[in-house]
């Protein structure tokens, strides 16, 4: 009987073991990709939230600069009702807070909102907040003046 002493290649058991090891490693690698893909929408949502906040801020600033509307209109909170949800963006909510401020408290939270800042002070802090369930909220703040 001739016994082969020189083995060339892999046995069936060695091949099965390699396939199992590669399968286990692939599961680990793919789970990292799956986790990364789940978070891939977050940057898109963040950009949308920022753009929606900036859009409303631009509207308020535009109202302030509009000679037909001006400071009185732009500092009246009733002119900017909360949007829940924002039209065309089902999962986004947007609100505006307007507080009359003096030169002493530009960086403070400001006084309680007034029906309008006209006659109260020449400065108003406008805060636009947009929220989304996945990323939370984004806030933009500006200062309007009556000059």
């Amino acid at each position: 009987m001739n016994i082969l002493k020189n083995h060339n290649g892999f046995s069936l058991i060695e091949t099965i073991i390699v396939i199992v090891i590669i399968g286990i490693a692939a599961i680990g690698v793919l789970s990292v990709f799956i986790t990364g893909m789940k978070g891939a929408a977050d940057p898109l949502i963040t950009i949308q939230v920022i753009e929606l906040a900036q859009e409303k801020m631009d509207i308020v600033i535009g109202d302030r600069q509009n000679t037909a509307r001006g400071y009185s209109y732009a500092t009246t909170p009733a002119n900017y009702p909360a949007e829940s949800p924002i039209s065309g963006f089902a999962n986004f909510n947007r609100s505006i807070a307007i507080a009359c401020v003096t030169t002493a408290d530009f960086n403070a939270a400001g006084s309680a909102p007034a029906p309008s800042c006209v006659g109260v002070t020449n400065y108003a802090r406008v805060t636009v907040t947009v929220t989304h369930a996945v990323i939370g909220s984004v806030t933009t703040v500006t200062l309007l003046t009556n000059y």
Side-chain angles (χ1 to χ4, degrees):
M1 256 200 204
N2 275 336
I3 298 177
L4 293 174
K5 293 184 181 182
N6 193 1
H7 297 281
N8 292 331
F10 296 105
S11 70
L12 182 59
I13 298 212
E14 290 171 332
T15 305
I16 291 173
I17 291 172
V18 168
I19 290 172
V20 169
I21 291 172
I22 290 174
I24 292 171
I27 290 172
V29 170
L30 289 177
S31 68
V32 170
F33 284 117
I34 290 170
T35 303
M37 293 302 290
K38 286 182 182 176
D42 292 352
L44 176 62
I45 294 170
T46 302
I47 291 169
Q48 287 176 324
V49 168
I50 291 169
E51 292 295 329
L52 289 168
Q54 188 60 50
E55 173 195 35
K56 187 55 92 172
M57 188 63 77
D58 289 344
I59 290 170
V60 173
I61 293 170
D63 287 343
R64 165 60 188 97
Q65 294 173 346
N66 184 337
T67 55
R69 292 192 171 177
Y71 182 76
S72 176
Y73 184 91
T75 60
T76 304
N79 293 329
Y80 307 102
E83 300 167 89
S84 181
I86 298 173
S87 178
F89 296 90
N91 297 319
F92 298 83
N93 301 317
R94 180 166 53 190
S95 63
I96 296 181
I98 300 173
C100 304
V101 295
T102 63
T103 54
D105 63 354
F106 277 164
N107 295 320
S111 61
S116 175
C117 293
V118 174
V120 178
T121 179
N122 287 323
Y123 306 101
R125 179 180 294 106
V126 179
T127 305
V128 176
T129 303
V130 178
T131 58
H132 188 275
V134 173
I135 66 156
S137 64
V138 170
T139 301
T140 59
V141 179
T142 194
L143 187 68
L144 297 180
T145 63
N146 190 20
Y147 293 107

